[in-house]
Amino acid sequence: VNRIGESDIGDLDYSTAILFSKPGAFGPATTFNASLKASIVDPDAYKAFTTTAAAGVSVELSDRDTVSAGGEVAWSNIEDVFGKNKYLTVSLPIEYVRDTRTDKLNPTEGYRFLINAKPSYETYRGTFFSSFEGAITGYQALGAEERFVLAGKLSAGTIIGGSELADIPATRRFFLGGGGTVRGYGYQEISPRNGKGKLLGGRSYVSASAEARIGITETIGLVPFLDVGTVSTDEVPDFKDIRAGAGIGLRYATPFGPLRLDVAVSPQKYDGRTSFRVYAGLGQSF
């Protein structure tokens, strides 16, 4: 159950899944993964019921490098600005990840780089489209005790193909906003809009974040941060609408990762929306 505290009970997001993983399926460095998932999501831009079946193989090229590929079939019933539509999409996701971080939940050194491609075919409309995304996060501790860590993230994505935006399922279009992207905005609040102010979703985006993670004690830390992002209906971002949020966070270290509480404000709030947001989670924001 997602978005507790952000939405009314009737507008929460629900999901369930069965996951299967077999290490060493085709050799010591390979893992076979399969899943069956179902979700009901209700952000501001759309309401969607989606079921997804997927299977694939990941290969550890080294202790830092992993490549994965597979197949996916997703059926969606979506209500959005374009009306009520059904989609049956077949995809072939491919991803490469290089991870040199010292810790997955609370890194102090290293970086993580990923790039992925997801060629897709929507069968009901006969539409080919492909999404491409890349992201890099970096971390640098200052001082022998590593009580001060600079962290940064840069990510971007584009969708190529599909003659109309409505040909691409809303669940595959790009949105920003929320605790994991641009803080100071609601979940998926950053998006191109039509003439009536309805959220469309985009074909491309760019976002960046910077944090200074300051250890006050062994268990308590403060994190001032700045997030910036833009979403466009074009395949290449036009940077006509750049949104930013800034704030400060509190971290409390636990054996399973830091508890996170962030407070952020946005100087460019949307009409009728608050410019003040609070986010909570487990682990660092990135």
Side-chain angles (χ1 to χ4, degrees):
V1 182
N2 297 328
R3 300 172 65 206
I4 296 174
E6 182 180 337
S7 302
D8 296 331
I9 292 178
D11 296 328
L12 296 178
D13 294 345
Y14 303 90
S15 62
T16 185
I18 299 173
L19 310 175
F20 174 79
S21 182
K22 181 174 176 56
F26 308 104
T30 65
T31 301
F32 174 76
N33 299 294
S35 63
L36 181 62
K37 303 177 182 179
S39 66
I40 300 174
V41 296
D42 191 16
D44 292 343
Y46 58 87
K47 184 171 185 177
F49 171 70
T50 301
T51 57
T52 305
V57 176
S58 63
V59 181
E60 295 182 4
L61 304 177
S62 70
D63 59 351
R64 296 181 173 184
D65 301 281
T66 304
V67 63
S68 59
E72 176 184 292
V73 179
W75 182 87
S76 300
N77 187 358
I78 297 175
E79 182 178 358
D80 64 0
V81 67
F82 300 109
K84 295 182 179 180
N85 293 284
K86 293 181 174 64
Y87 300 87
L88 180 61
T89 309
V90 181
S91 304
L92 299 174
I94 305 167
E95 183 173 77
Y96 167 75
V97 177
R98 180 172 177 83
D99 193 345
T100 70
R101 295 175 297 172
T102 53
D103 185 287
K104 307 301 183 186
L105 290 176
N106 191 25
T108 57
E109 298 278 353
Y111 65 90
R112 183 177 187 268
F113 170 77
L114 74 83
I115 186 170
N116 62 49
K118 199 171 184 179
S120 303
Y121 176 67
E122 203 291 303
T123 61
Y124 292 161
R125 294 161 181 76
T127 301
F128 286 99
F129 66 95
S130 297
S131 59
F132 302 87
E133 292 187 83
I136 185 167
T137 56
Y139 313 88
Q140 180 61 58
L142 303 178
E145 296 183 359
E146 297 185 341
R147 296 282 289 272
F148 189 95
V149 178
L150 297 176
K153 179 180 180 180
L154 177 65
S155 59
T158 183
I159 297 174
I160 298 173
S163 58
E164 302 292 339
L165 197 60
D167 293 335
I168 302 168
T171 51
R172 292 287 301 275
R173 297 176 216 146
F174 294 129
F175 301 84
L176 293 176
T181 56
V182 181
R183 287 161 286 188
Y185 293 86
Y187 177 65
Q188 293 192 349
E189 186 180 1
I190 301 175
S191 164
R193 286 161 160 76
N194 65 7
K196 297 181 179 180
K198 300 295 185 180
L199 284 74
L200 298 170
R203 290 180 180 268
S204 62
Y205 76 94
V206 176
S207 67
S209 298
E211 294 187 346
R213 300 171 181 174
I214 305 167
I216 304 301
T217 69
E218 291 295 328
T219 57
I220 297 176
L222 292 178
V223 181
F225 59 83
L226 173 66
D227 301 331
V228 181
T230 184
V231 184
S232 172
T233 54
D234 297 328
E235 295 177 353
V236 178
D238 55 23
F239 297 98
K240 292 181 179 179
D241 183 27
I242 300 175
R243 299 282 166 165
I248 191 165
L250 178 68
R251 304 290 184 268
Y252 181 79
T254 72
F256 46 84
L259 297 177
R260 181 177 79 252
L261 181 67
D262 290 335
V263 179
V265 295
S266 55
Q268 303 165 288
K269 70 175 184 178
Y270 289 101
D271 291 341
R273 300 303 181 97
T274 178
S275 60
F276 175 84
R277 298 278 179 170
V278 178
Y279 309 91
L282 174 64
Q284 300 286 2
S285 58
F286 58 87

